Amino acid sequence: MMTPDDSRAKRNVMVLVMAQAFLGSQITMIFVIGGLAGQQMAVNACLATLPISMIVFGSMTTAPWLSSLMQRFGRRAGFIVGALGGLVGAAICAFALTLSNFWIFLVGSYLTGIYMSSQGFFRFAAADTASDAFRPKAISYVMAGGLLSAIIGPQLVGYLTSTNPDATVMRFFPVYMAAMALNVLGMLLFAFLDIPTPPKPTEESPRGRSVAELLKTPRIAVAVICAMVSYALMNLVMTSTPLAVVGCGFAVADASNVVTGHVLAMFAPSFFTGHLIVKFGVERIMGLGLLILGAAGAVALSGVELGHFFVALILLGLGWNFGFIGATTMLAGAHEPHERGRMQGVNDLLVFGGVTLASLASGGLMNCSGGSAEDGWAAVNIAMIPFLVLAGCALIWLVMRPKPQVV
């Protein structure tokens, strides 16, 4: 048998890795400053993190129509639309800062979610031109680009704000200008993307399964459940971490270091996750990811020393990586090319819907469960248990069910 030629897929992966690293930096930048800017502008401090939730909500509601657009006009068109959303969103947020207007700031945050949604499709685009053997590695490499964005984004924020003596929200203005520039850079990068536009359907073209039929397919259903659980639980715990670290008597710098360790653990394993999937199988790697997420919760519940936070958040990032990349790989191989627009849009709608709910629930569990930071932190981690059980049982069911007979 001839070895498939993945040269085009490898070129596309290189473009997507660069887009993930540089264009994706705007999300880490905005996640660092969004809550701080919101805290200064909101009429109620309880709404401070609402801009972050609006970005995730924007991503959730954008995913279905953006996926359909890519199915009709191609990946490049969809990614350019996403970059335009990020560009306009950053411009509106910058304008809102000049007025100190919280509600306009929320509009800009929602439009930034269009970019965040398009970034979520980078991983699927990496698989479009890849062979079956290269597909998990392609997805893994593109996710690894997030490691660079996790470093570039916060460093840009530090550089742009550290020497600014302004204590008003205008100190964040240069950050949004940088985000605008990154979106322009992304549009230039996408000119080098070489992914064929899906053929336009004809009367003879296969119609594919309906959304309901797709979601009833065992491998698709399990992939969606595990992706939702992995991403939502990671977001649930990560969002509460700074509050818990500071609430337990440590410095803000300590909280920042813990989160940095977590983000590195999220993306650094991506250099070899694809190889592990090829060697051991996607089901085993997904199961290992769920077990590591459970271990993260167990460590968090075992104590509130700084070491507990570091170990728990590093395990949380590693578990997310295995669970989410594994689920993405399983989903990418479970539907036909003419079904991808429909299925991938629904998948990201469900995944980011779960993340939105997790981001909203995180603060409530942390601040409204018991009378101390320790009680709130325990509530956040205990809340992981039923969802991990759900995903674990779904994966076990998939592995144990009889395999279809090949005729």
Side-chain angles (χ1 to χ4, degrees), residues 133 136-138 140-141 269-279 325:
K137 298 176 184 178
S140 186
Y141 292 149
S270 297
F271 291 106
F272 56 80
T273 305
H275 296 274
L276 294 176
I277 290 173
V278 171
K279 183 172 182 178
I325 292 181

Side-chain angles (χ1 to χ4, degrees), residues 162-234:
S162 60
T163 58
N164 191 343
D166 190 352
T168 70
V169 290
M170 283 302 292
R171 71 184 187 274
F172 302 122
F173 186 85
V175 177
Y176 284 97
M177 298 300 290
M180 293 170 64
L182 287 170
N183 283 291
V184 173
L185 172 62
M187 292 183 213
L188 298 176
L189 282 173
F190 294 137
F192 297 95
L193 202 61
D194 181 20
I195 299 176
T197 301
K200 297 187 183 303
T202 64
E203 291 184 1
E204 292 77 23
S205 300
R207 299 299 178 188
R209 292 164 288 181
S210 67
V211 170
E213 290 171 330
L214 286 165
L215 291 176
K216 289 178 182 177
T217 304
R219 289 185 72 81
I220 289 177
V222 172
V224 171
I225 289 171
C226 289
M228 287 178 64
V229 168
S230 298
Y231 214 134
L233 293 187
M234 183 277 293

Side-chain angles (χ1 to χ4, degrees), residues 240 243 358-370 376 379-380:
S240 292
L243 298 173
S359 68
L360 293 172
S362 182
L365 287 168
M366 186 67 212
N367 295 322
C368 304
S369 301
V380 167

Side-chain angles (χ1 to χ4, degrees), residues 93-108:
C93 284
F95 176 66
L97 293 178
T98 66
L99 302 178
S100 193
N101 189 304
F102 183 66
W103 307 111
I104 295 177
F105 193 69
L106 292 182
V107 173

Side-chain angles (χ1 to χ4, degrees), residues 364-394:
L365 287 168
M366 186 67 212
N367 295 322
C368 304
S369 301
S372 67
E374 289 86 349
D375 292 337
W377 181 238
V380 167
N381 286 278
I382 290 172
M384 296 174 68
I385 296 173
F387 300 100
L388 287 172
V389 170
L390 168 65
C393 289

Side-chain angles (χ1 to χ4, degrees), residues 8 14 30 74 79 94 102 108 183 206 208 218 257 270 275 282 295 310 317 323 393:
R8 180 164 66 172
M14 185 179 299
I30 293 171
F79 292 153
F102 183 66
N183 283 291
N257 290 334
S270 297
H275 296 274
V282 67
F310 267 110
C393 289

